[in-house]
Amino acid sequence: LVVVTKKQLDMNAAKGGLVIFTANSNPSSRELGKRIAERLGVELGKVQVYQEANRETRVQIQESVRGKDVFIIQTVSKDVNTTIMELLIMVYACRTSCARNIIGVIPYFPYSKQCKMRKRGSIVSKLLASMMCKAGLTHLITMDLHQKEIQGFFNIPVDNLRASPFLLQYIQEEIPDYRNAVIVAKSPASAKRAQSFAERLRLGIAVIHGEAQDAESDLVDGRHSPPTVKNMGAIHPSLEIPLLIPKEKPPITVVGDVGGRIAIIVDDIIDDVDSFLAAAETLKERGAYKIFVMATHGILSSDAPRLIEESAIDEVVVTNTIPHEIQKLQCPKIKTVDISMILSEAIRRIHNGESMSYLFRNIGMDD
């Protein structure tokens, strides 16, 4: 009879060794990798990732990964397609170097907005999932996917971590009178997320519905609505497919009271800020005296920082899933919450073969 102690089990589980690489050639994107490595008490693995003169990506791994658990941390820089190629090439390089497991740590999953079929487009995030699996990825750690169904595009395990505990902590610690706040969904589509925040903070909820009506626009005088002509040439004369009535958004209404309250708008991605600015204006008109925006992924592309700086929004709080140091220099209203703790804990648990359920405690089916 052999008695195996827990310490020996842990050692055996960790015997394969742990290597953490960051696949970014962009220096600002390596920051999250450094933080995670520091928390785990390991050095970042030695690897060279760079662009050749003709813009081809080259990856050279400079240490042995044979039989080891390799974690590849990849944050999405401005050049999204280069970011993806860097990741795919590094995963394939580790696979051909006989790594035991290759786990991708991709906090913001690129192309996640293109996860539904629209007209003659394609479901790009499904294509990306297939490419990652084909390259040799054996596990994926990501955060706040735009749609949870994206997990089903992979034929490998996917851990979709949540940033909401960190954002909720920020609200409780950094907004002094948050008890007088109301959680706002800027459209009915994000109402479920707002409801989740509101229930955890024991606060009320408000939903913005509709869009601004411009009386002077040519939409009103009928120039964009020619009479409907039934085209019967394409189908059999006896078949008449009923026409679907086009959608028409009503004027902006706010369902819920925001007068004399702090308004906290919650969403998963903040990139094109126009909808956030319009929501902020509407909330100001309805009597909200302070407006915060909480989002997991702060893409904040083009002139978003300048627009936020000039707007009615008091503060934009995002996590460091995407590097945004330059945007913070342009706009002091942008604040960052560090989520490296949960990512490093996920890496430690996967490497040691421990349960991940602790990281998902109190998260229901609807969250």
Side-chain angles (χ1 to χ4, degrees):
L1 183 69
V2 179
V3 179
V4 181
T5 64
K6 186 177 185 300
K7 192 173 182 184
Q8 283 174 312
L9 277 171
D10 285 349
M11 282 173 70
N12 289 342
K15 197 181 281 183
L18 165 74
V19 184
I20 294 179
F21 289 127
T22 174
N24 284 106
S25 58
N26 185 355
S28 69
S29 300
R30 286 200 287 265
E31 187 60 41
L32 184 64
K34 286 175 192 163
R35 284 185 182 224
I36 291 169
E38 272 172 30
R39 283 185 184 275
L40 290 166
V42 297
E43 290 283 318
L44 272 177
K46 294 180 179 67
V47 64
Q48 270 194 325
V49 185
Y50 58 92
Q51 305 291 315
E52 290 192 350
N54 64 351
R55 300 283 292 147
E56 279 185 12
T57 300
R58 189 173 285 273
V59 172
Q60 289 180 329
I61 296 168
Q62 295 171 320
E63 61 182 87
S64 173
V65 295
R66 184 176 293 270
K68 293 183 179 178
D69 285 343
V70 178
F71 290 84
I72 300 173
I73 298 162
Q74 181 71 321
T75 51
V76 177
S77 61
K78 270 191 171 181
D79 191 350
V80 180
N81 298 336
T82 301
T83 301
I84 291 164
M85 283 310 295
E86 285 174 355
L87 175 72
L88 293 173
I89 294 167
M90 180 169 276
V91 169
Y92 191 62
C94 291
R95 180 183 164 189
T96 50
S97 301
C98 300
R100 186 176 65 170
N101 292 308
I102 304 162
I103 299 100
V105 183
I106 309 165
Y108 169 65
F109 190 74
Y111 285 96
S112 61
K113 281 194 171 181
Q114 296 189 49
C115 61
K116 287 180 181 164
M117 192 68 178
R118 286 199 174 89
K119 293 190 178 172
R120 293 191 184 90
S122 63
I123 306 171
V124 184
S125 48
K126 165 68 175 147
L127 168 69
L128 198 54
S130 304
M131 287 160 71
M132 287 178 183
C133 294
K134 193 74 180 167
L137 212 62
T138 60
H139 197 132
L140 177 72
I141 301 171
T142 185
M143 185 165 265
D144 281 336
L145 285 170
H146 186 57
Q147 297 286 341
K148 284 179 289 188
E149 292 76 7
I150 294 172
Q151 291 176 80
F153 295 160
F154 290 85
N155 52 14
I156 56 172
V158 177
D159 287 310
N160 180 24
L161 302 174
R162 302 293 195 274
S164 52
F166 298 91
L167 296 172
L168 290 165
Q169 186 183 24
Y170 185 93
I171 291 169
Q172 289 171 314
E173 291 177 2
E174 303 295 328
I175 304 176
D177 43 355
Y178 84 92
R179 286 264 156 240
N180 185 34
V182 61
I183 307 294
V184 180
K186 67 176 176 62
S187 68
S190 53
K192 197 172 268 188
R193 180 180 295 270
Q195 183 189 349
S196 172
F197 271 71
E199 285 172 0
R200 281 173 165 78
L201 293 166
R202 319 290 194 265
L203 297 174
I205 183 173
V207 180
I208 298 172
H209 178 47
E211 63 182 351
Q213 302 289 310
D214 185 3
E216 297 301 311
S217 78
D218 56 9
L219 291 171
V220 179
D221 64 11
R223 274 182 277 175
H224 273 283
S225 52
T228 52
V229 179
K230 285 185 181 176
N231 181 15
M232 299 300 291
I235 53 174
H236 195 272
S238 64
L239 291 174
E240 266 196 50
I241 296 170
L243 288 169
L244 195 66
I245 299 162
K247 287 181 183 177
E248 192 175 310
K249 283 194 176 177
I252 284 182
T253 50
V254 179
V255 183
D257 181 28
V258 295
R261 302 276 196 91
I262 297 169
I264 302 172
I265 303 170
V266 295
D267 214 334
D268 61 332
I269 298 170
I270 177 165
D271 182 9
D272 178 22
V273 294
D274 290 345
S275 57
F276 289 93
L277 303 186
E281 286 299 327
T282 304
L283 294 167
K284 265 275 189 282
E285 286 167 19
R286 300 293 195 285
Y289 73 91
K290 244 184 179 181
I291 295 161
F292 291 82
V293 174
M294 299 269 161
T296 305
H297 309 296
I299 301 174
L300 300 163
S301 48
S302 60
D303 56 351
R306 181 182 59 79
L307 293 169
I308 292 166
E309 190 59 34
E310 295 167 1
S311 73
I313 297 168
D314 291 282
E315 207 167 276
V316 173
V317 182
V318 291
T319 70
N320 56 343
T321 54
I322 297 171
H324 51 265
E325 285 76 21
I326 296 158
Q327 288 92 323
K328 281 179 81 171
L329 292 172
Q330 293 173 298
C331 176
K333 288 182 183 179
I334 299 167
K335 302 281 185 280
T336 310
V337 174
D338 181 26
I339 46 83
S340 62
M341 182 202 294
I342 195 168
L343 292 172
S344 55
E345 180 61 12
I347 289 169
R348 191 191 66 76
R349 282 172 177 270
I350 288 170
H351 177 59
N352 290 336
E354 294 176 26
S355 166
M356 293 287 282
S357 62
Y358 176 76
L359 302 179
F360 294 99
R361 67 197 186 284
N362 300 327
I363 290 171
M365 291 288 286
D366 295 334
D367 287 337

